[in-house]
Amino acid sequence: MASNKRKTVLVAGGAGYIGTHTTVELIEAGYDVVIADNLSNADLSAVQGVERIVGRSVPFVQVDCCDLDALRQEVFEKYPFDSVIHFAAYKAVGESVAEPLKYFRNNLDSLLSVLTLMKEFEVHNLVFSSSATVYGQPDELPATEQTPRQRANSPYGLTKQMSEDMIQDTVAAIPFMRAIALRYFNPIGAHPSAWIGELPKGVPNNLVPFITQTAAGVRKELAIFGDDYATPDGSCLRDYIDVVDLARAHVVAVDRMVELPAEDDRQRYEIFNIGTGRPVSVLELVDLFERVNGVPVPHRIAARRPGDVEKIWAATDKANEVLGWRAERELGDTLRAAWAWEKRVRGLE
Ligand code: WQD
């Protein structure tokens, strides 16, 4: 990597769950990172956790990415970087149904600011945080990148679809830009150091934080949302991807764009599924968590959750072959790390 500009990555939304893990992996791979985050759904202690793991300070700017002028003055004018990873978005599916405008405003405006300033400052490379939610319930599984997207079943999902399309059209019109959208399946777990992890505010919506909080005694009981699906044990199937493996996918995506020569006009906009390729049921996951951690997770079968798809998992061939990336961590280790993090946060043991 020739210049400092090429070596530096702006991580927008870098204080969040996936942003912190990605920052660690970037720094360990030799990149410099600048974090921009408005801390609307994150805590400065997460950045301190990153610094503790990497053993040095990481430039942090508290700024709302929707604020174009502030982002220009405080980030784009001050730091040299040639790549941006854009995580800055709201992500609660249920909340997005209740408050769609909040989601459209925040998720689309922040992306617009980033794209506008990338154009203005001739920043070349963008990695975008997309989601398997864009597939809805696919007719055929596993879902490949060619699987048709279906109408999003939440405003949150719609912002991911619209963001992908905005990026595709922007890149098509700006010859110096390249972008990679990573469609995450179900990110779970925590850094093995237990210094960073997922810290949901209020009652968790997602399965693994609910499991760890139940095991810790913060929640009384886990509700399994449905055991009458057309799956082997009746509970839903998902593709649970370790957050550290997911973080590494961002590093290889940046590597790919940094390393492509400027004149190489191969696919300037690319999409990759990031998952394990292995379907796991809710009941299997709970059982494995209890076994590897030796701790009970009181649970009961409850009604289906509206909006849930029955089953989805990733075809990972494209990420394997083109990015040279694959999920490496064992699910049991991931669930151990999730529990170690929860225990540290709660001051248990
Ligand atoms: C997983 C499985 C539930 C909680 C969502 C978004 C997606 C992405 C990740 C993020 C399902 C079951 C859950 C509980 C349960 N978004 N479950 N009891 O719904 O696959 O994906 O989060 O930013 O876009 O849609 O993930 O973790 O909520 O659920 O039985 O208390 O666990 O029904 O089968 P989901 P999840």
Side-chain angles (χ1 to χ4, degrees):
M1 280 176 272
S3 70
N4 195 29
K5 182 169 162 142
R6 297 194 80 189
K7 249 193 78 203
T8 306
V9 181
L10 168 63
V11 182
Y17 173 44
I18 302 170
T20 47
H21 290 83
T22 299
T23 298
V24 167
E25 297 306 309
L26 283 166
I27 292 172
E28 288 183 349
Y31 288 96
D32 292 326
V33 172
V34 182
I35 294 177
D37 199 300
N38 66 357
L39 300 182
S40 67
N41 191 29
D43 200 280
L44 208 50
S45 62
V47 178
Q48 290 156 358
V50 169
E51 291 177 330
R52 205 179 164 116
I53 295 168
V54 300
R56 61 156 140 140
S57 68
V58 180
F60 169 78
V61 183
Q62 185 168 355
V63 63
D64 186 339
C65 293
C66 296
D67 187 339
L68 181 71
D69 292 333
L71 192 62
R72 179 189 289 114
Q73 283 159 24
E74 288 163 38
V75 179
F76 279 73
E77 282 177 1
K78 288 205 177 133
Y79 296 92
F81 49 85
D82 203 32
S83 303
V84 179
I85 306 182
H86 184 61
F87 295 109
Y90 294 149
K91 60 173 186 179
V93 176
E95 183 188 51
S96 81
V97 175
E99 296 191 70
L101 296 175
K102 175 176 165 178
Y103 274 68
F104 298 145
R105 171 73 71 193
N106 184 67
N107 292 8
L108 302 179
D109 238 8
S110 65
L111 174 63
L112 265 178
S113 301
V114 166
L115 290 171
T116 301
L117 294 172
M118 287 181 71
K119 181 181 178 198
E120 201 174 306
F121 287 78
E122 290 196 28
V123 174
H124 291 86
N125 310 315
L126 175 67
V127 179
F128 177 66
S129 172
S130 192
S131 168
T133 195
V134 302
Y135 295 119
Q137 176 63 70
D139 295 332
E140 281 177 31
L141 288 163
T144 75
E145 291 80 356
Q146 274 78 48
T147 296
R149 298 184 322 188
Q150 294 177 7
R151 196 193 183 292
N153 57 10
S154 73
Y156 160 77
L158 184 56
T159 67
K160 292 299 177 194
Q161 294 183 341
M162 291 171 80
S163 296
E164 287 189 352
D165 294 347
M166 283 161 59
I167 292 166
Q168 182 168 23
D169 285 3
T170 303
V171 167
I174 303 175
F176 65 75
M177 270 187 76
R178 293 198 177 103
I180 290 179
L182 300 180
R183 291 179 175 162
Y184 315 153
F185 282 66
N186 286 59
I188 63 164
H191 194 269
S193 67
W195 283 111
I196 52 174
E198 191 171 9
L199 204 55
K201 291 191 172 154
V203 183
N205 294 306
N206 295 117
L207 179 60
V208 169
F210 208 106
I211 289 176
T212 57
Q213 289 193 11
T214 306
V218 179
R219 313 272 154 214
K220 228 178 84 218
E221 191 176 55
L222 167 75
I224 310 275
F225 297 141
D227 70 344
D228 55 354
Y229 286 101
T231 60
D233 66 20
S235 64
C236 293
L237 297 174
R238 293 289 184 275
D239 183 334
Y240 295 95
I241 174 75
D242 186 283
V243 68
V244 176
D245 280 334
L246 173 60
R248 284 193 305 102
H250 295 77
V251 178
V252 295
V254 172
D255 287 345
R256 173 170 172 80
M257 291 189 285
V258 168
E259 283 159 14
L260 280 178
E263 63 279 7
D264 188 333
D265 205 28
R266 243 188 305 181
Q267 281 291 350
R268 289 192 295 112
Y269 172 67
E270 296 175 294
I271 297 171
F272 296 95
N273 284 343
I274 303 296
T276 65
R278 175 185 165 214
V280 172
S281 80
V282 177
L283 287 166
E284 274 179 280
L285 194 83
V286 172
D287 179 63
L288 183 62
F289 182 93
E290 290 181 319
R291 278 194 287 120
V292 297
N293 291 311
V295 59
V297 178
H299 56 276
R300 72 185 158 87
I301 306 300
R304 292 181 177 195
R305 181 172 66 176
D308 270 343
V309 299
E310 180 170 89
K311 48 188 160 189
I312 184 159
W313 64 96
T316 60
D317 314 58
K318 189 177 174 195
N320 298 164
E321 284 156 26
V322 180
L323 292 178
W325 172 92
R326 66 182 61 248
E328 283 169 4
R329 297 191 74 195
E330 293 290 334
L331 186 54
D333 291 338
T334 302
L335 295 175
R336 276 192 200 97
W339 180 226
W341 160 250
E342 185 72 49
K343 283 193 293 186
R344 200 184 70 70
V345 170
R346 304 283 161 200
L348 302 173
E349 288 184 346

